[in-house]
Amino acid sequence: MSSSDKTARPPKPATATEPPVSASAPAVSAARSPLRRAGHALTDLGRKRPSNEDAFFMDDALGLYVVADGMGGHAAGEVASREAVDTLHGMVKRGLGGLHKLTDPVSERDSRDACRLMESAVQAATYFVFSIAEIDRAKSGMGTTISALLILGDYAITAQVGDSRIYRVTRGVVEQLTEDHTLIAWQLKNGLITPQEALRSPHKNVITRAVGNREYVQVDTRCVPLVSGVRFLLCSDGLHGYLREEDIPDIVALGGPEAVQRFIDLANGRGGKDNITAVLVELD
């Protein structure tokens, strides 16, 4: 997305969420999850944009899935999102061997270590994108959102900066796992505006956290349990800006490439004002 559409404000405090843990749980070497995992992804220019500043990554063997939505003029948004995704992938790939498999009862230390790896990977992406902009002043102020999901044993770790989203769908029930780091979301959370006022707000595209526009960013991480049949949808705001939660279960149920294509078609059919990216993760 262009820099005129999305701007970053200083970060607001947030807290990480972790599952119930047992400090006495034994350490277990990291291994492939017993659940079969399959990722499907698609990105689209949309109907209004001259270029696509979204990026995504998926690797079923690694268990890593990422969506990033860049911002900045002169193709800087494309650079920010791609470099951030590549850096995060490299950091997770190098650090995954040092983690323990997350199985019940999961230990506090193992859960914390997994969350720290994801946080560190996003921080590395932040510093790298910021450094590029310091060297090339034409890219000054560029940045990107990141929504990332790592499957590790019987749990998934999420990492979040910005206003892309991760949804979890379990037996037809939809839950948004991530918090939007936007001015409007912050105002709503603190009771400063009503949902009706939010719909009319001129600040819809102001984000409060971004990867790369500063040397450091606060990262939200979360550890969530997995069950057979669960689905995760990672998407940029070019999709969720048009998406109603009641739309999600039926489209997810289509499965695979058909589902992600339907998400893209839905966003374009309802306006397609921004780049659109959808990553669907299926576990069985």
Side-chain angles (χ1 to χ4, degrees), residues 53-69:
E53 295 182 322
D54 285 3
F56 70 84
F57 176 86
M58 65 175 188
D59 185 330
D60 291 329
L62 194 63
L64 180 64
Y65 308 87
V66 188
V67 165
D69 178 358

Side-chain angles (χ1 to χ4, degrees), residues 185-247:
W186 180 82
Q187 289 174 322
L188 284 168
K189 186 177 181 179
N190 289 276
L192 301 177
I193 60 173
T194 66
Q196 292 72 27
E197 290 171 329
L199 294 174
R200 302 189 301 271
S201 174
H203 306 301
K204 289 183 178 180
N205 295 314
V206 178
I207 66 171
T208 54
R209 296 188 215 172
V211 167
N213 66 325
R214 291 177 176 81
E215 288 184 288
Y216 170 85
V217 69
Q218 187 170 356
V219 184
D220 291 351
T221 58
R222 185 173 179 180
C223 185
V224 297
L226 300 175
V227 295
S228 181
V230 69
R231 303 290 186 260
F232 294 95
L233 172 65
L234 293 75
C235 60
S236 61
D237 67 341
L239 174 56
H240 73 67
Y242 293 107
L243 196 60
R244 295 183 288 268
E245 284 199 1
E246 56 266 30
D247 296 325

Side-chain angles (χ1 to χ4, degrees), residues 20-73:
V21 295
S22 169
S24 61
V28 183
S29 297
R32 173 182 285 274
S33 167
L35 295 174
R36 181 190 66 83
R37 53 207 186 206
H40 310 275
L42 197 59
T43 188
D44 189 81
L45 190 64
R47 298 189 179 278
K48 307 291 184 181
R49 299 296 187 189
S51 62
N52 194 340
E53 295 182 322
D54 285 3
F56 70 84
F57 176 86
M58 65 175 188
D59 185 330
D60 291 329
L62 194 63
L64 180 64
Y65 308 87
V66 188
V67 165
D69 178 358
M71 66 196 81

